[in-house]
Amino acid sequence: KDQIINSIKYLPTNIIKSYFIKKSSAETEAFREKTGFIRGVSTADEGNELLSGANINWVRESLPAPFMADGRVNEKYTEFKEKCLRYAQHGIKVMGITPLPNEYLNHGIDMRTPEGEQKLREVSRFIMEDVRDIVGGLQIANELGMPRFMIPYNMDECIRFLGIQMEEMYPLRGEVVIGYNSAGPQVDLHLGMKPYYKYCDYVGMDMYLGCFFSLPGFAWMFDIMVRYLWAFTGKPILMQEFGYIGGGKPKTKKEKMQILNSYGFKDEKDAQKDIMKFVDALPPHFRNHVKFVCGDNVQVTKDFMFAGDMTNHLYKELPRITVIPGMPHTPEGQAKFFTNVIDRLYKLPFMCGTIIYCYSDFHYCGYCGQTDCPTETLWGLVDTDRKPKPSYYAVKEAYGKIIEKQKAKNQK
């Protein structure tokens, strides 16, 4: 409800405003001068020659909580630091994603208490001082506004969670750039973050048009959404995540019924009558994800399973209208997407970079666990055997053109 109200109030006005204000700022120009236009990808292979071969110079990786609840150093945090050093040997900078609220809670830090807030401040300072010489940037948490990433905080708490960390990190950051990101326009999040813009080197947005929900997308909508965010925040804008699914097709009604029947239900209405029994019949990975997000709330579970994009996971499909016209969900359509979108984003002077999701296809879906679910398995520039797909070569060419343009500009 808050998203809808604030979107109506602020989205159209700022889109219109973006056409009547300057397209850049001294801050944006200084960012591009400092880092260049970020040419990034999410979750890659360390030192893989294919990375630099595609003109990629940034990799986005998760930064685990430094300490366990009992005070011991988290081994995964140590591994992250070692990974950063190996990337650096190949001239690749790391954009580290700091922990979500749930991870900090699991490690004994609850920002909602005075003691927890103090611990969060201390850990934030520790992280920045500890990694500022081995990372290029930090993204504070991820898509706080999406339920699975917010849990168990509400939006106001998430805004405070972000703000506390940025307050502490900003004065210590040195050459590191810091910011936060949103899933799509997320006006309520950006509105709440206004007091903290002074601690942001950039503001990020994630967009997956034509990939989720039963909705079409259009490439020009990337321009519109980042224009809104520029007009609304006045900060350099980073396309923190964007990509396009390289496979998947619609399922017939008969095929969908067969899937429901395999779980012991005759149709969707039957499944919703006893939604908890239906969830318990799902594969373990899928079941655990639904329960993590929805808990024991029956209505929330019904909506989550049948009123959003989780139906794509359930039926292991991409609906017929879930596509950008002219860019089918094929390896070739995926390549065409990157050729188009990277170029159009680079041409916007307030953009400071793009980070592709993601480097490699996956063997199974991270949300439902099914190997034949296209929604979270076919995003990669390379396949599961690390063989380049058409999208790899499209990105190589698009980022190569950016390098040449930057060289030409510097020569002038």
Side-chain angles (χ1 to χ4, degrees), residues 15-70:
I15 291 170
I16 294 169
K17 176 183 173 183
S18 72
Y19 288 93
F20 296 93
I21 61 175
K22 290 183 178 180
K23 301 300 184 291
S24 188
S25 66
E27 185 180 18
T28 310
E29 291 166 7
F31 190 110
R32 278 204 181 192
E33 185 69 26
K34 177 180 178 180
T35 67
F37 187 84
I38 290 175
R39 308 183 309 276
V41 70
S42 291
T43 315
D45 292 342
E46 307 158 39
N48 191 320
E49 291 181 1
L50 286 172
L51 274 179
S52 53
N55 296 312
I56 291 167
N57 65 346
W58 283 70
V59 170
R60 183 169 167 264
E61 296 275 0
S62 294
L63 185 160
F67 305 107
M68 309 298 285
D70 60 7

Side-chain angles (χ1 to χ4, degrees), residues 178-205:
I178 67 171
Y180 70 97
N181 70 327
S182 67
Q186 195 73 56
V187 182
D188 53 341
L189 172 63
H190 296 299
L191 181 63
M193 285 299 293
K194 273 187 176 290
Y196 303 107
Y197 288 167
K198 59 188 175 184
Y199 304 121
C200 297
D201 292 303
Y202 70 86
V203 172
M205 178 185 282

Side-chain angles (χ1 to χ4, degrees), residues 153-220:
Y153 289 175
N154 61 34
M155 180 54 77
D156 289 340
E157 291 166 341
C158 284
I159 290 166
R160 186 64 180 144
F161 177 77
L162 292 170
I164 285 171
Q165 295 177 76
M166 302 191 83
E167 280 179 342
E168 299 300 328
M169 290 181 173
Y170 188 81
L172 305 173
R173 73 195 191 289
E175 295 300 307
V176 175
V177 294
I178 67 171
Y180 70 97
N181 70 327
S182 67
Q186 195 73 56
V187 182
D188 53 341
L189 172 63
H190 296 299
L191 181 63
M193 285 299 293
K194 273 187 176 290
Y196 303 107
Y197 288 167
K198 59 188 175 184
Y199 304 121
C200 297
D201 292 303
Y202 70 86
V203 172
M205 178 185 282
D206 302 354
M207 288 189 69
Y208 293 105
L209 296 172
C211 293
F212 295 120
F213 304 104
S214 294
L215 292 170
F218 301 94
W220 53 262

